[in-house]
Amino acid sequence: MKPLLKQIQHTPLLWMLIFVPVVLVAEAVVPHSHTLLFALSVLAIVPLAALLSHATEAVAAKTGDTVGGLLNATLGNLTELVIAITALRVGQYMLVKASIAGAIVTNALFMLGACLLLGGLRYHVQEYNRAGARLYSGLLLMATVALLAPSAVAHLDLMQGEAVMRKLSVGLAILLIIAYALGLLFSLKTHKELFASAEHGEGEERWPIGLAVGTLLVVTVLVALVSEIFVESVQKAAETFGMSPAFVGFIIVSLVALGSASQIALFVAPALVLLSYVVGPSPMSLQFWPGAVTMVMIATVTASFITSSGRSAWFVGALLIFIYAVFALTLYVVPPAGQGTG
Amino acid sequence: MKPLLKQIQHTPLLWMLIFVPVVLVAEAVVPHSHTLLFALSVLAIVPLAALLSHATEAVAAKTGDTVGGLLNATLGNLTELVIAITALRVGQYMLVKASIAGAIVTNALFMLGACLLLGGLRYHVQEYNRAGARLYSGLLLMATVALLAPSAVAHLDLMQGEAVMRKLSVGLAILLIIAYALGLLFSLKTHKELFASAEHGEGEERWPIGLAVGTLLVVTVLVALVSEIFVESVQKAAETFGMSPAFVGFIIVSLVALGSASQIALFVAPALVLLSYVVGPSPMSLQFWPGAVTMVMIATVTASFITSSGRSAWFVGALLIFIYAVFALTLYVVPPAGQGTG
Amino acid sequence: MKPLLKQIQHTPLLWMLIFVPVVLVAEAVVPHSHTLLFALSVLAIVPLAALLSHATEAVAAKTGDTVGGLLNATLGNLTELVIAITALRVGQYMLVKASIAGAIVTNALFMLGACLLLGGLRYHVQEYNRAGARLYSGLLLMATVALLAPSAVAHLDLMQGEAVMRKLSVGLAILLIIAYALGLLFSLKTHKELFASAEHGEGEERWPIGLAVGTLLVVTVLVALVSEIFVESVQKAAETFGMSPAFVGFIIVSLVALGSASQIALFVAPALVLLSYVVGPSPMSLQFWPGAVTMVMIATVTASFITSSGRSAWFVGALLIFIYAVFALTLYVVPPAGQGTG
């Protein structure tokens, strides 16, 4: 336990773990204070997500390159996945889809923008490795195109649509998971040198494997418990604040549960479609509302274009964050119609 | 006055200033010959816009880099702004929006195409500075995305739309003007070397500051007077020629009042939304008709892609102009429905 | 005849020419076995298209650079053109439009993907000539934008649409053919060195000009005869297999009759519009169904982006093919509504 406690001590973000017992107690004491429970559950998920990500890396570091990479690639979006499964079980499909689309947009605009802005405040003009950036942004572009193609292409009338879209979604989910498996082969085996990062923090104390696996399991259970409270309270709390489920999923879920955009597109989204047949009240399709399709496409094309230029300055980052703010404002003021359909 | 007269003498375009008194007289004598007044006002605005641009530069040259840059950035689209305010005052919102969208498309396709075509006729393959071109086209791409995002994303039914879109437009206008202010900080202060151009015509005679400011003021008043006649006559003249207000705004206004595409997106458009609360009969939103959104997005993405390649030949320019012609043809044959709504 | 027979002997694909007499006999004997006739006609068109392409090159090789290039550019999509004219004559407009859109998408995704995948299996990371690739993909992007602009921009209600769209299509067809002529001037005259390819197979036996022209004529007639059977049987056979004309045109026609994407956009498509006034039961417009517009735009932007990076690995090719599979799946499951309208 010592390395874990030391980690918590040195990371102010993890001090927010105090909200985990607080929200669990609050749920027992005041189960109808939805706004309070919503706020507390968001505050509790943030440090849990950070700890989960750290535990995953600790396990991966002990298991060698290939298995470790596989673990990272599968558990890297665990928080997002657990929240989405909880929402799936109670049929909150709009929240699920909004969190999928939002995760991609938040990565491509907000995270990239923040990196370029902060980097730009330190360096006058940043030059970065174009070869890697271009290949990576090409993969992200293609992953989102594959995910969104049916929503963009199939203009359905509402009656006919349901059954057809369901059939299409299952076929697409299987294709996406095959592409994901090929992508793992590509990034962990045949071309792993392109994805190598220099982030092996040598100074950090290594966790023993038992502690790492234990933390991983315990934190996953805690995320599941808190997600339950989050999903229960979100609908009513959102009404209080005038937020739609689409806004909550798109902005809030994706900000508390940051992951990798292409993993979301190729693995989390299709996994949720297939899981919906097991855990959901009815099957979920991959049909996104038109505004989501437009936002994800704009975000990915813009990010690809900016990344591929290989040069950046602070204003580029500021404009990316700014486009994100425009999307958030639009989604807040004009929630998509027909929420909650499969 | 001598440098001004000399300037006019040496610039054949400015000889068209003769149409300014002609149109003012014609308005007094034959106020109902709309077609004639329309043609004369277009012919009068062209040299006024050129003179206004020259006077702005003359003032800017006297005031040092930062203030001068600020003046250029603010008054660079003065003709466009004056015409749009005149149209705003009489509630011609379709003309205003079409001239905003048209200014961006005309810059990105027609002006860029003409430059590449003319350059291509002289040089077999043109190579140009990629670093600057990429950064600049990235900024233009992001500015138009920010401007158009709500129109692209918010699929509104007509009833609910009006009030919501108005609220969204004001929020967006404020965000855009903040981005514009940051952009000025970026281009005039922190990264001014990226935007430095070598166009200081040393051979040109400098205007005294009094003449420069005087010309600026007088020409602005003249543009306002002629714009009044232009906007009054355009509706009826357009009917005679079978042109919609959208076509006139998109093609004609933007060709006579060329400016900078990113300034239009980040400054002129939001300024007009906020001004509409003061001068217009009713508030104007930033909701563009779907075809305008598509045209502006296609134009900006195509221009960004072409510019970022850093190489060009005459046929590239010809194809850009050609896409512009296709847009003009489409807009002429199929005017957008629901013209004149706020 | 000897070089022709030798060619057939050494090219296993051409052994499929046996299906040409088979399908002609089958049409006479069992004219109502639509499924059989459909399958046999597809099997017969594949080797005919290959032979036609070889004969065109043989004629072009004999006639010098400019005339040869002109021949290649005009007859390079002869199979596609003959099939489309046959479909035009019986008013199968959805099949025609789907084969135009499909030819572009199949080139941009499937063919490019297959090249990158196969190249990637041999070379770890492929680097290729960026300058040429960028210029070429810019041209393709602009050609498709020009072709699709009216469909993307003009949001018509169905009543008003027919006559207006027809007028627009004729104007557009003329503009496209002018652009095509300028493109020939560009690629065959002013900038021919950019398009020079090293594919002069010196080892191959040259055909005498008589044999080349004779083969060209005979094979064109055979393609026309087999196309007749193909178009007749396709509607009924497609029903049996649950395929829409859109799916058949988009996937099957474009796979059997591969050509050049920009030629299709700038020459074949406008030629068919103009021809429809002569051979069709009613004029054909260039209005594509919304899904086709989206697919072609996504395919061209993705291909341009991937090509312009100048680097590739096998997974990039796999993802392109995979997006193609997603499109095919979507089109199979959700055929576009309103098939067969002009």
Side-chain angles (χ1 to χ4, degrees), chain C residues 32-64:
Chain C
H32 298 294
S33 305
H34 298 294
T35 308
L36 178 72
L37 289 173
F38 170 71
L40 287 174
S41 59
V42 168
L43 290 173
I45 288 174
V46 172
L48 285 174
L51 197 55
L52 197 57
S53 148
H54 195 88
T56 308
E57 272 167 35
V59 175
K62 291 280 172 194
T63 50

Side-chain angles (χ1 to χ4, degrees), chain B residues 105 185 265 327:
Chain B
V105 170
L185 182 68
F327 283 171

Side-chain angles (χ1 to χ4, degrees), chain B residues 268-290:
Chain B
V268 174
L272 288 170
V273 168
L274 299 181
L275 278 171
S276 75
Y277 282 82
V278 185
V279 305
S282 69
M284 187 180 79
S285 77
L286 274 176
Q287 188 171 31
F288 293 88
W289 75 98

Side-chain angles (χ1 to χ4, degrees), chain A residues 27-304:
Chain A
E27 161 75 356
V29 179
V30 284
H32 297 296
S33 306
H34 298 294
T35 308
L36 179 73
L37 289 173
F38 170 71
L40 287 175
S41 59
V42 168
L43 290 172
I45 288 174
V46 171
L48 285 173
L51 197 56
L52 197 58
S53 149
H54 195 88
T56 307
E57 272 167 35
V59 175
K62 291 279 170 194
T63 50
D65 269 12
T66 305
V67 178
L70 211 61
L71 271 174
N72 255 329
T74 317
L75 302 182
N77 290 293
L78 195 53
T79 311
E80 169 93 24
L81 194 59
V82 169
I83 298 178
I85 290 174
T86 312
L88 208 60
R89 278 179 40 219
V90 295
Q92 283 252 31
Y93 294 142
M94 181 48 112
L95 187 67
V96 176
K97 290 180 186 176
S99 74
I100 293 172
I104 298 172
V105 171
T106 305
N107 264 282
L109 295 180
F110 183 80
M111 291 305 290
L112 177 61
C115 292
L116 296 182
L117 179 59
L118 294 178
L121 295 180
R122 183 174 296 185
Y123 304 102
H124 189 67
V125 173
Q126 289 168 278
E127 311 261 355
Y128 41 86
N129 171 23
R130 282 189 49 176
R134 292 193 80 109
L135 191 55
Y136 189 78
S137 66
L139 296 186
L140 174 59
L141 182 62
M142 286 191 285
T144 49
V145 162
L147 176 65
L148 294 178
S151 307
V153 162
H155 295 258
L156 296 170
D157 33 305
L158 290 173
M159 281 302 106
Q160 171 214 13
E162 202 114 331
V164 169
M165 206 20 119
R166 213 165 276 171
K167 207 162 70 177
L168 184 60
S169 297
V170 172
L172 180 63
I174 293 167
L175 278 176
L176 287 168
I177 285 176
I178 293 172
Y180 182 68
L182 287 175
L184 289 180
L185 182 67
F186 180 70
S187 62
L188 299 177
K189 199 91 194 164
T190 69
H191 287 66
K192 61 183 166 191
E193 82 286 356
L194 290 177
F195 296 84
S197 60
E199 62 182 45
H200 300 295
E202 293 303 322
E204 267 181 42
E205 202 174 331
R206 288 271 171 243
W207 293 11
I209 181 77
L211 176 64
V213 171
T215 307
L216 194 60
L217 293 178
V218 170
V219 172
T220 304
V221 171
L222 287 176
V223 169
L225 287 174
V226 177
S227 295
E228 197 105 11
I229 302 173
F230 172 76
V231 170
E232 257 170 41
S233 61
V234 72
Q235 185 118 11
K236 296 213 170 124
E239 280 168 19
T240 313
F241 290 114
M243 299 184 294
S244 65
F247 180 81
V248 173
F250 203 92
I251 305 293
I252 296 180
V253 173
S254 60
L255 275 176
V256 301
L258 280 167
S260 145
S262 44
Q263 259 178 54
I264 297 274
L266 293 180
F267 176 64
V268 175
L272 288 170
V273 168
L274 299 181
L275 278 171
S276 75
Y277 283 82
V278 185
V279 304
S282 69
M284 187 179 79
S285 77
L286 274 177
Q287 188 170 31
F288 293 88
W289 76 97
V293 175
T294 312
M295 282 190 278
V296 174
M297 286 310 298
I298 289 178
T300 329
V301 169
T302 308
S304 296

Side-chain angles (χ1 to χ4, degrees), chain A residues 120 123-125 130 134 289-292 294-295 298 301-302 305-306 308-320 322-323 325-327 329-331 333-335 337, chain B residues 130-132 134-135 137-139 141-143 145-146 149-150 152-156 160 164 167-168 171-172 175-176 179 182-183 185-186 190-191 193-194 266 297 304-305 308:
Chain A
Y123 304 102
H124 189 67
V125 173
R130 282 189 49 176
R134 292 193 80 109
W289 76 97
T294 312
M295 282 190 278
I298 289 178
V301 169
T302 308
F305 188 81
I306 297 301
S308 74
S309 87
R311 301 183 97 222
S312 166
W314 68 268
F315 190 53
V316 174
L319 274 184
L320 283 173
F322 174 76
I323 295 177
V326 170
F327 283 171
L329 176 70
T330 304
L331 207 51
V333 174
V334 196
Chain B
R130 281 189 50 176
R134 293 193 81 110
L135 192 56
S137 66
L139 296 186
L141 182 61
M142 286 191 285
V145 162
V153 162
H155 295 258
L156 296 169
Q160 172 214 12
V164 168
K167 207 163 69 180
L168 185 59
L172 180 64
L175 278 176
L176 287 168
L182 288 175
L185 182 68
F186 180 69
T190 69
H191 287 66
E193 82 285 356
L194 290 177
L266 292 180
M297 287 309 299
S304 296
F305 189 80
S308 74

Side-chain angles (χ1 to χ4, degrees), chain C residues 135-156:
Chain C
L135 192 56
Y136 189 78
S137 65
L139 296 186
L140 174 59
L141 182 62
M142 286 191 283
T144 49
V145 162
L147 176 64
L148 294 179
S151 306
V153 162
H155 296 257
L156 297 170

